[in-house]
Amino acid sequence: MMIRIYILIVTLLSLVECFFTKSGTSSFELVSRFKNATQSSTHGPGVANRAVDGGTNGNYFAHSCSHTLHGWKNPWWYVDLGSSTTISKIVIYNRDDCCGDRLDGAVVSVGNDNVSPFRGNSQCGPTIRSRSLYSRRIELRCQSEGQYVSVYVPGTDALSLCELEAYTDIQAPEVLCPSDIEISSDVNQNVHPVRWQPPIVIDNTARVAICSKPSGSLFEVGFTKITCSATDPSGNEGNCSFVVHVKDVKEPTLTCPEHITVNNDVDQSENPVTWNKPTVIDNVHKDISATCTHASGSIFDVGSTIVTCSATDGTGNVGSCSFVVHVIGQTFLSDIPTVMCPHSISACSDKSLQPVTWNDPTVVDAVDIDLVATCIPSSGDLFSRGSTQVTCSVTNSFGNNGNCSFLVDVTSPKAPQALTQDDNASDVTPGYMTAAVVILGVIVLVLVLTNITIARYYKRKCDRLSGGIIMKMEDNNASFN
């Protein structure tokens, strides 16, 4: 009676274990329990199904273990899983009441062969030979597919199994992709190679993930989703994804027509000024059209008019070019060329002299075209620290001169809160000198005003004294008379 109660308790515990195994707390699913088992012979109550009934008690006399007859050559045992299954782990519970060494030389295999000695099956784990494996629990790892899990022991001793558990892998690999990648395209290139670190795969068997595009592939400008997946031998698949963004940073390149010169004596209403559309080339987008400030076929006033054309690609980059339409209507003896200088330039250098370059100024003239201004200093010259004015001038064929100017400001880099003593002196001394000059001026002004006030005071006093003396002398003269 006590033995039956014990078997019932073991069975209930096994059912609880099976529930938690299938509920996702384990990465393996037990697939052999309560399946039909067969063995080469049977000794007493040790039927084959005892090894798959869920009881792991190591005492044969507790009716928990299978047992073949003694003296039968090459005993064997196998369980029918019902269908072909990928087995990843096999756990054997050996006897612990005695006779644990009877598994010496046992071969555990998985396959579709159910005829001894099961040569058509794949061996799972090593052959059981070392006595160190005769522990209570023997675990074997493999990745073998088949309908039968067999145990074969060459020799004449009996084969006894207290429990055999065959597991299939049910855990999907966890795949960790790299972060999204953002990169700028190379100039004039519509594809760009992009590399990344291989995804990390966390799994009990799978180790490598395969991505929809390998690292180092060429990517077009825009957004591309990359999916990486890993599949274990049991068919469980895990995946992840990330985005590769190749940014277009190159503006379209425009080629404008050459400068155009027409004579106003010809009626423009009948012969308007026309030109071919500017060509637009972009590294990514096609069929981009340019828009000009004046359309081809427009009527132009006498003089020079700058026509600017621009085009915008699909990512918002803007390119432009310009040309001049020059309408001759009279001799412009007094016209002065218009020279348009670049904006002031700031440069930072740790050298005492720094080369600075700029684009040539734009020159527009009512008579001559293709005039080029000369700048002093010239583009590419060496500039010392401080501000230097650059003057650019041009003279047309009538001797009229036009000019413009801009500043080149060269400064030295200084790290915040890291000024040397000389730096502090050069920065602070001018401020003290200015303050000293102002104070000295105020003192001089006060002294001058004080002197003026004193002089006026004594002058008035002298005037009063002189008047009194004169009046007294007149009185004396009168009394004398």
Side-chain angles (χ1 to χ4, degrees):
M1 182 67 180
M2 292 297 295
I3 294 176
R4 291 181 179 178
I5 294 175
Y6 176 80
I7 294 174
L8 178 61
I9 293 174
V10 170
T11 303
L12 290 176
L13 290 175
S14 300
L15 291 174
V16 172
E17 178 185 355
C18 180
F19 170 77
F20 282 108
T21 298
K22 293 184 178 180
S23 65
T25 58
S26 172
S27 61
F28 297 97
E29 180 182 6
L30 180 60
V31 295
S32 58
R33 185 167 293 173
F34 305 127
K35 298 295 175 66
N36 186 37
T38 305
Q39 60 188 5
S40 55
S41 62
T42 302
H43 172 75
V47 296
N49 284 340
R50 293 287 190 189
V52 288
D53 62 358
T56 61
N57 192 327
N59 189 340
Y60 166 74
F61 298 99
H63 302 284
S64 178
C65 306
S66 67
H67 203 303
T68 63
L69 290 173
H70 293 281
W72 282 49
K73 189 176 181 180
N74 303 326
W76 52 265
W77 177 98
Y78 73 82
V79 59
D80 184 354
L81 301 178
S83 61
S84 184
T85 306
T86 300
I87 300 301
S88 302
K89 180 175 70 171
I90 294 176
V91 178
I92 295 177
Y93 289 89
N94 199 3
R95 289 183 64 173
D96 60 3
D97 55 348
C98 76
C99 319
D101 56 354
R102 289 178 180 174
L103 285 179
D104 187 18
V107 176
V108 182
S109 58
V110 179
N112 295 314
D113 186 359
N114 65 346
V115 178
S116 173
F118 312 103
R119 290 190 175 91
N121 296 343
S122 299
Q123 183 171 339
C124 184
T127 300
I128 301 175
R129 291 194 180 279
S130 173
R131 293 189 62 85
S132 63
L133 294 178
Y134 303 160
S135 59
R136 181 72 182 91
R137 182 179 184 276
I138 303 171
E139 181 174 323
L140 305 172
R141 291 296 184 107
C142 58
Q143 287 295 325
S144 303
E145 184 176 354
Q147 183 173 342
Y148 304 101
V149 177
S150 60
V151 179
Y152 173 77
V153 183
T156 58
D157 209 343
L159 168 62
S160 183
L161 300 171
C162 293
E163 189 72 12
L164 184 144
E165 298 174 340
Y167 292 90
T168 184
D169 182 10
I170 60 172
Q171 175 181 341
E174 182 180 1
V175 187
L176 305 178
C177 276
S179 302
D180 292 345
I181 300 173
E182 186 175 80
I183 192 170
S184 297
S185 63
D186 290 335
V187 176
N188 296 328
Q189 297 294 324
N190 60 350
V191 293
H192 196 287
V194 180
R195 299 184 180 277
W196 56 83
Q197 294 296 324
I200 299 173
V201 179
I202 302 174
D203 189 60
N204 49 16
T205 54
R207 294 293 180 268
V208 179
I210 299 176
C211 298
S212 55
K213 271 194 167 187
S215 175
S217 298
L218 295 177
F219 287 79
E220 295 182 350
V221 170
F223 295 86
T224 304
K225 183 179 180 180
I226 303 298
T227 300
C228 302
S229 60
T231 304
D232 64 21
S234 299
N236 303 307
E237 181 178 334
N239 57 68
C240 63
S241 62
F242 62 99
V243 174
V244 174
H245 179 203
V246 179
K247 298 188 297 181
D248 178 16
V249 297
K250 173 63 178 175
E251 68 275 2
T253 301
L254 279 70
T255 303
C256 277
E258 297 293 333
H259 299 317
I260 301 173
T261 301
V262 297
N263 197 316
N264 197 46
D265 293 340
V266 179
D267 189 356
Q268 287 192 55
S269 63
E270 296 181 2
N271 298 280
V273 181
T274 60
W275 55 83
N276 294 326
K277 291 183 178 179
T279 59
V280 182
I281 300 176
D282 190 67
N283 61 332
V284 178
H285 305 90
K286 309 300 179 184
D287 301 326
I288 302 175
S289 298
T291 302
C292 301
T293 54
H294 296 75
S296 176
S298 299
I299 296 175
F300 289 81
D301 294 331
V302 173
S304 296
T305 303
I306 298 176
V307 179
T308 300
C309 303
S310 61
T312 305
D313 65 16
T315 53
N317 300 310
V318 181
S320 64
C321 66
S322 60
F323 62 98
V324 176
V325 175
H326 180 60
V327 180
I328 301 175
Q330 57 180 318
T331 302
F332 297 93
L333 296 177
S334 61
D335 266 8
I336 297 175
T338 300
V339 186
M340 291 174 282
C341 279
H343 295 294
S344 295
I345 300 174
S346 295
C348 183
S349 175
D350 56 359
K351 301 177 182 178
S352 59
L353 294 176
Q354 172 67 27
V356 179
T357 61
W358 56 83
N359 294 327
D360 290 337
T362 302
V363 179
V364 178
D365 188 62
V367 178
D368 300 320
I369 60 175
D370 296 332
L371 292 176
V372 178
T374 301
C375 298
I376 301 176
S378 301
S379 175
D381 284 354
L382 297 176
F383 287 77
S384 59
R385 293 176 183 170
S387 295
T388 303
Q389 178 171 299
V390 178
T391 300
C392 302
S393 61
V394 69
T395 303
N396 64 13
S397 57
F398 292 101
N400 300 316
N401 179 266
N403 60 70
C404 65
S405 61
F406 62 97
L407 292 178
V408 173
D409 187 19
V410 179
T411 60
S412 60
K414 293 183 179 179
Q417 300 179 357
L419 296 176
T420 65
Q421 184 175 359
D422 291 340
D423 292 331
N424 286 324
S426 62
D427 291 342
V428 177
T429 300
Y432 283 130
M433 292 180 65
T434 302
V437 171
V438 172
I439 293 172
L440 182 59
V442 171
I443 293 173
V444 171
L445 180 61
V446 170
L447 291 175
V448 171
L449 293 177
T450 302
N451 288 333
I452 292 173
T453 303
I454 293 172
R456 288 180 177 175
Y457 169 77
Y458 282 107
K459 184 177 182 302
R460 288 195 299 269
K461 187 172 183 181
C462 288
D463 290 342
R464 287 197 297 271
L465 289 174
S466 300
I469 293 172
I470 293 171
M471 290 178 62
K472 187 173 182 179
M473 291 177 64
E474 290 177 351
D475 292 339
N476 293 332
N477 290 333
S479 60
F480 178 78
N481 291 328

